[in-house]
Amino acid sequence: MNVITDLQQWREIRKSLKGSVGFVPTMGNLHEGHTSLCARARKENDIVIASIFVNPTQFNQAADFEQYQRTLGADCALLKKIGIDYVFSPSPNAIYPDSYEVQVSETRLSQELEGEFRPGHFTGMLTVVLKLLNLTQPHRAYFGEKDFQQLMLVKKMIEALFLPVEIIACETVRAKNGTALSSRNTRLNTLQLEKAALLSELLVSDCSDDAVKKQLEQQGFKVEYVATKWGRRLAAVWLDKVRLIDNVPMTERNIKNVASS
Ligand code: PAF
């Protein structure tokens, strides 16, 4: 496995690649959610590239960006085990030669839910995803359903800008207690990890969104939103200083009950 940090070197390598290319964009601090995307990409493509780039422009709080764990050594060891061919890990200066003066923004979907609570997040995310797709030129790119609104926005950008890449959506990977895996979970202690399971439990319950919100608040979560749309129930909550998001597909059972409650 080759780890490439230099943009020029990367461009030369990309020119030389033959066959189908799968791409998994990440910000590192990898867990099984990421490795499952990589394993699927490995099965479906001749060459697999994973990027590790902690994108400063998509963090709407400086502290969150600073606290984001950088674990390049451990990440590369995991990726090597899965048989990833290239890890592309450029510097912020290489990715933003324009000092982020050129941006990709979406004006409707990006304003809802996550967009309301994380202003600027989706513009930073779409901008970096477009740059990474241009640099890696994959046939397929793999995104998790855990960040469902991100996935929808990436698909929308691909269509709107006629990008020649297939977006492969992959199911959320969960811990045994049902909690969606997230790099932020490493900031939770054992008790908090147990408590976090309530979020996914309530999302799949047949309680209304309001009732889910109330129960979470009673248990000490600070709730930003619980909403049913796009065929899913989505939520964002704070557990002390850690922000958690999750979403589940609406089954017939809970759609019926949400609608009638
Ligand atoms: O989902 C993520 O980890 C990031 O938003 C992504 C897609 C790697 C862009 O920085």
Side-chain angles (χ1 to χ4, degrees):
M1 188 179 79
N2 294 288
V3 182
I4 315 294
T5 54
D6 181 77
L7 206 64
Q8 215 37 53
Q9 188 191 1
W10 169 255
R11 294 188 119 154
E12 292 306 316
I13 289 174
R14 179 61 191 94
K15 268 192 234 156
S16 71
L17 299 181
K18 304 228 164 21
S20 63
V21 172
F23 174 51
V24 183
T26 82
M27 296 207 296
N29 197 9
L30 303 182
H31 50 69
E32 271 180 60
H34 299 109
T35 54
S36 73
L37 302 180
C38 292
R40 176 144 178 213
R42 180 65 287 163
K43 268 196 210 142
E44 297 178 352
N45 301 279
D46 298 321
I47 307 277
V48 182
I49 305 161
S51 63
I52 297 182
F53 178 67
V54 186
N55 176 31
T57 66
Q58 72 185 76
F59 287 82
N60 54 314
Q61 286 182 353
D64 196 22
F65 174 64
E66 276 146 30
Q67 277 167 24
Y68 196 91
Q69 300 244 353
R70 276 84 169 164
T71 51
L72 188 64
D75 293 342
C76 287
L78 265 178
L79 295 172
K80 194 171 175 188
K81 262 196 205 153
I82 302 167
I84 297 307
D85 299 293
Y86 295 97
V87 175
F88 177 48
S89 187
S91 69
N93 284 344
I95 289 292
Y96 292 106
D98 61 326
S99 306
Y100 193 44
E101 287 169 4
V102 177
Q103 306 180 356
V104 182
S105 62
E106 190 275 354
T107 56
R108 187 180 54 77
L109 192 56
S110 65
Q111 304 304 303
E112 301 183 39
L113 303 189
E114 284 297 288
E116 195 186 326
F117 290 93
R118 302 188 68 193
H121 164 68
F122 284 131
T123 298
M125 181 280 292
L126 286 175
T127 304
V128 83
V129 168
L130 179 61
K131 285 171 184 263
L132 292 170
L133 289 174
N134 282 337
L135 287 165
T136 55
Q137 295 174 33
H139 298 88
R140 302 184 187 88
Y142 296 77
F143 288 82
E145 286 183 343
K146 160 142 188 302
D147 296 293
F148 196 75
Q149 206 175 347
Q150 163 172 288
L151 171 66
M152 287 174 64
L153 280 159
V154 168
K155 283 183 175 168
K156 188 170 175 182
M157 173 177 75
I158 298 307
E159 263 186 56
L161 303 182
F162 310 108
L163 299 180
V165 56
E166 185 186 354
I167 300 300
I168 311 287
C170 303
E171 260 180 49
T172 303
V173 179
R174 296 181 179 279
K176 276 204 185 92
N177 69 4
T179 304
L181 297 191
S182 162
S183 302
R184 289 191 168 82
N185 293 358
T186 54
R187 293 192 217 154
L188 298 173
N189 63 32
T190 316
L191 275 181
Q192 290 171 324
L193 273 173
E194 274 171 28
K195 197 168 174 181
L198 192 64
L199 178 59
S200 61
E201 246 170 62
L202 285 169
L203 285 181
V204 297
S205 75
D206 53 14
C207 301
S208 69
D209 293 347
D210 279 350
V212 169
K213 184 168 184 250
K214 223 178 251 166
Q215 289 190 60
L216 286 166
E217 283 171 349
Q218 278 164 0
Q219 295 301 318
F221 290 83
K222 188 173 156 246
V223 179
E224 287 187 344
Y225 62 82
V226 176
T228 297
K229 49 170 53 186
W230 311 316
R232 325 278 295 190
R233 175 141 66 182
L234 310 99
V237 300
W238 287 87
L239 189 47
D240 294 325
K241 291 198 169 97
V242 183
R243 187 173 188 272
L244 304 172
I245 62 169
D246 198 356
N247 72 87
V248 296
M250 297 304 291
T251 62
E252 272 182 35
R253 176 172 149 263
N254 52 26
I255 282 175
K256 196 169 69 216
N257 286 305
V258 166
S260 61
S261 55

